[in-house]
């Protein structure tokens, strides 16, 4: 008995090819995402545009391209170079101390064995859920008693302490991901604990270290509340306080405010763009660990 071939599907009932379906799905997802990206990006573009306009152009609005672009006025009024150096000093000290202290702590939690290790680690992680503002007053009182209130070191110490929970969690996960065989081989070769930490674990945890550095540098650079409460001497002001001075004038100059905000945010954006590859790898490695 001869089997008849199945009838060809009609033109109206034919399914679209897989390629067409993929393109349709991408368009369906991509168009709303592109629209959302444009809406989210517009305030930043407006800030960049306003930074190069004069006051009249900003108030008039209506276009993004400035007619007579300039940044000179805000550059001088913000005392950019002095405030930039202060912010750079505070941020650099915070990042260096954070990496030195919590890299060692992460190695201890990941590799070494000591009584109460797991409970102490859980306590550090639990501190992630404590709002920083709740410890603001104790920090101010402690700094006053230590004699560092109003100095840059009075900012660095609480900043370093505030990064402890996340830094310990990320670095502990990264060090746990290092194969145990590498440590055993180093010990067989006669390496001590400090040598294993410096020559084996730190190089392999470089993405996590860079991630911690970024997550420390960005909020430290942008910190306003603690710096506002702590610093009274204008010569010690950071960029965030310098920007606040521009907004505290009787007649706000919006072009100066936008220019100041642009000056503050550009270093952070450039830093993240330069290190974003390590940032993503560091988060992935820490989660896997």
């Amino acid at each position: 008995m001869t089997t008849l071939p199945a009838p060809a599907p009609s033109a109206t009932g034919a399914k679209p090819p897989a390629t067409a379906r993929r393109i349709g799905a991408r368009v369906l997802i991509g168009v709303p995402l592109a629209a959302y990206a444009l809406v989210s990006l517009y305030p930043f573009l407006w800030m960049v545009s306003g930074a190069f306009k004069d006051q009249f152009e900003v108030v008039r609005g209506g276009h993004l391209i400035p007619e007579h672009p300039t940044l000179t006025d805000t550059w001088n009024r913000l005392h950019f170079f002095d405030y930039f150096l202060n912010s750079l000093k505070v941020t650099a000290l915070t990042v260096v101390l954070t990496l030195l202290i919590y890299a060692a702590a992460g190695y201890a939690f990941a590799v070494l064995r000591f009584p109460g290790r797991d409970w102490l680690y859980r306590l550090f992680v639990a501190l992630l859920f404590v709002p920083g503002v709740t410890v603001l007053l104790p920090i101010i009182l402690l700094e006053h008693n230590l004699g560092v209130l109003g100095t840059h070191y009075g900012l660095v110490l609480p900043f370093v302490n505030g990064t402890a929970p996340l830094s310990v969690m990320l670095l502990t996960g990264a060090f746990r991901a290092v194969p145990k065989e590498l440590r055993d081989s180093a010990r067989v070769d006669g390496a001590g604990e400090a040598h294993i930490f410096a020559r084996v674990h730190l190089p392999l945890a470089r993405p996590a270290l860079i991630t911690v550095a970024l997550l420390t540098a960005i909020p430290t650079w942008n910190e306003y509340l603690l710096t506002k409460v702590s610093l009274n001497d204008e010569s010690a002001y950071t960029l965030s306080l310098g920007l606040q001075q521009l907004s505290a004038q009787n007649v706000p100059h919006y072009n100066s405010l936008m220019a100041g905000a642009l000056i503050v945010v550009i270093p952070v954006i450039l830093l993240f763009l330069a290190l974003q590859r390590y940032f993503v790898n560091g988060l992935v490695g820490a989660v896997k660990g």
Side-chain angles (χ1 to χ4, degrees):
M1 183 176 180
T2 305
T3 303
L4 297 177
S10 63
T12 57
K15 292 184 178 181
T19 303
R21 289 200 301 269
R22 285 197 297 267
I23 294 176
R26 290 177 181 176
V27 171
L28 187 63
I29 297 174
V31 170
L33 288 178
Y36 177 76
L38 290 175
V39 172
S40 302
L41 192 60
Y42 181 79
F44 179 78
L45 295 177
W46 192 90
M47 179 190 72
V48 175
S49 172
F52 293 91
K53 295 178 180 179
D54 57 28
Q55 176 75 347
F56 176 74
E57 275 193 273
V58 174
V59 175
R60 184 180 62 184
H63 58 87
L64 289 178
I65 300 177
E67 297 177 359
H68 307 288
T70 179
L71 255 180
T72 305
D73 181 57
T74 301
W75 184 281
N76 295 331
R77 295 173 63 189
L78 188 57
H79 302 288
F80 171 78
F81 191 70
D82 295 334
Y83 296 160
F84 176 83
L85 289 180
N86 292 336
S87 292
L88 184 62
K89 173 186 174 182
V90 171
T91 303
L93 284 175
T94 302
V95 170
V96 170
L97 289 176
T98 296
L99 293 179
L100 288 176
I101 295 172
Y102 299 122
Y107 179 80
F109 284 125
V111 177
L112 304 181
R113 296 189 177 277
F114 53 88
R117 182 190 68 170
D118 294 337
W119 283 104
L120 187 58
Y121 175 74
R122 293 189 185 100
L123 179 60
F124 269 106
V125 175
L127 291 175
L128 281 170
F129 302 98
V130 178
V133 70
T134 60
V135 295
L136 181 61
L137 181 58
I139 287 175
I140 296 300
L141 295 176
L142 179 60
E143 289 186 358
H144 177 73
N145 293 332
L146 294 175
V148 295
L149 184 63
T151 67
H152 289 155
Y153 299 106
L155 296 177
V156 171
L157 294 178
F159 289 162
V160 172
N161 182 70
T163 61
L166 186 59
S167 300
V168 167
M169 185 180 69
L170 291 178
L171 292 174
T172 300
F175 290 140
R176 283 176 178 170
V178 176
K180 185 176 182 295
E181 292 76 11
L182 294 178
R183 298 194 297 272
D184 295 338
S185 299
R187 288 194 178 97
V188 170
D189 293 337
E193 209 66 57
H195 182 88
I196 296 173
F197 170 63
R199 297 299 180 88
V200 177
H201 283 74
L202 284 183
L204 294 176
R206 183 174 63 174
L209 292 170
I210 294 176
T211 299
V212 170
L214 274 175
L215 293 177
T216 301
I218 293 175
T220 301
W221 182 271
N222 295 326
E223 174 61 31
Y224 171 76
L225 181 59
L226 184 59
T227 54
K228 178 64 175 177
V229 174
S230 300
L231 299 180
N232 295 317
D233 186 3
E234 186 174 341
S235 63
Y237 278 7
T238 58
L239 279 174
S240 59
L241 292 184
L243 184 61
Q244 188 271 338
Q245 282 188 312
L246 292 177
S247 63
Q249 299 172 349
N250 293 330
V251 180
H253 295 268
Y254 297 109
N255 60 326
S256 297
L257 283 174
M258 296 302 101
L262 181 63
I263 291 172
V264 171
V265 79
I266 278 180
V268 175
I269 293 176
L270 294 179
L271 182 65
F272 180 79
L273 291 177
L275 301 176
Q276 63 176 337
R277 176 168 61 92
Y278 298 99
F279 178 77
V280 174
N281 292 338
L283 288 179
V284 172
V287 171
K288 287 183 178 180

